[in-house]
Amino acid sequence: MKVNRIKLYTCLIFIIVLIVTFINPVYPHNQLLQHAGTLLLMIPIVHDLLKDRMPYPAFLGIVVFAILHVVGARYIYSYVPYKEWIISTGIVDADFFGGTRNHYDRFVHFMFGFLLFPYLMYLCRKCLNLNYMVSILFSWFAIQTGSMVYELFEWLLTILVSPEEADCYNGQQGDIWDAQKDMALAMIGSTIPALWYMCKRTLKRE
């Protein structure tokens, strides 16, 4: 079995980041709960390492999203110190970030749509054998459906666990419109590559 070295090295970076996030965990119990999503992301990653059928942009999108997720899982999203990281570079000062809300979860919802779109396109084209334009539409709708299902899961979680645990996992941070904003960001994130694929198709026809 021959393994694609570029994909292997990409995956090794993810594994290193994953291991580092488990060193002196900040919220160990909640972190493990967050990693249910990591296990789902690992399925296509490991499968493609063995088969090497996925285009690299699609593979890279899944791995980068998985890295963003495991970083968020370490800090249960609401407390990812991205502001401190950026300020420490000297690019901006503390006044650059207005408000107190941690927007890392919003960023990841946007990247969910943006980074996973190529993988869904691959599934539509190679596995479902759909035509190009239908694949774009199907992938776009799949992102919106996945985003909605996840928000429903978060709502169900608020019913099954304690309010404190639900708030830690969901990361609403007091925003009653958090679910709607998250879904909107996933929609925007998926619309960008969808338009790019459409433009690419149009340019090829000219």
Side-chain angles (χ1 to χ4, degrees), residues 18-66:
L18 178 62
I19 293 172
V20 170
T21 61
F22 273 101
I23 298 175
N24 297 323
V26 186
Y27 308 97
H29 173 70
N30 292 315
Q31 183 179 4
L32 290 175
L33 182 62
Q34 293 278 356
H35 279 299
T38 308
L39 294 176
L40 291 176
L41 291 168
M42 286 296 294
I43 295 173
I45 293 174
V46 174
H47 181 266
D48 195 64
L49 276 178
L50 299 176
K51 301 294 183 179
D52 191 24
R53 295 173 181 171
M54 195 186 304
Y56 184 68
F59 183 86
L60 180 63
I62 298 176
V63 174
V64 172
F65 182 75

Side-chain angles (χ1 to χ4, degrees), residues 109 112 140-156 179-180 182-184 186-187:
H109 278 280
F112 169 75
W140 190 86
F141 281 117
I143 291 290
Q144 316 326 318
T145 303
S147 180
M148 178 195 68
V149 169
Y150 180 76
E151 294 301 331
L152 288 174
F153 166 75
E154 286 193 338
W155 168 74
L156 182 63
Q180 289 85 347
D182 289 346
M183 289 188 288
M187 181 184 293

